[in-house]
Amino acid sequence: MKFITAYVRTERGAQLMRALHDAGISGVSAYIVHGLSGETSTFLYSKRPFEPSRLPESLKLEVICDEALVENIIQLIAREAKTGAPGDGILAIQAVEQVHKVRDL
């Protein structure tokens, strides 16, 4: 099993979630998050106090899936989220040792 975390542009979120659904990918969580990235402008800290509300917004997706689905999900996210401009996002893939359904414990 693998755990995929993706940070993408919020404006690509609806089409990305639809594509995941259409591909039969379930168990996807989506969150609106704010944070710093490599593309964050330095204006956030020049001459003004830090304001969390000025941090850039992104969509964070999480999905736990079988290893066989990882490449398909990566390609789907890339196809739907990519604009070719800085700030398109980032993906992280992690190994999952165990998965348990709460109802089965």
Side-chain angles (χ1 to χ4, degrees), residues 16-33:
L16 176 53
M17 292 300 287
R18 171 60 63 192
L20 288 165
H21 172 77
D22 291 348
I25 308 299
S26 61
V28 179
S29 297
Y31 314 87
I32 298 294
V33 296

Side-chain angles (χ1 to χ4, degrees), residues 8-58:
V8 299
R9 296 176 187 276
T10 53
E11 60 268 19
R12 295 294 184 139
Q15 71 188 41
L16 176 53
M17 292 300 287
R18 171 60 63 192
L20 288 165
H21 172 77
D22 291 348
I25 308 299
S26 61
V28 179
S29 297
Y31 314 87
I32 298 294
V33 296
H34 296 85
L36 300 174
S37 69
E39 290 77 29
T40 301
S41 299
T42 56
F43 84 91
L44 288 171
Y45 306 106
S46 60
K47 301 177 186 163
R48 290 192 250 176
F50 174 73
E51 262 309 314
S53 63
R54 291 197 310 256
L55 290 172
E57 183 178 276
S58 293

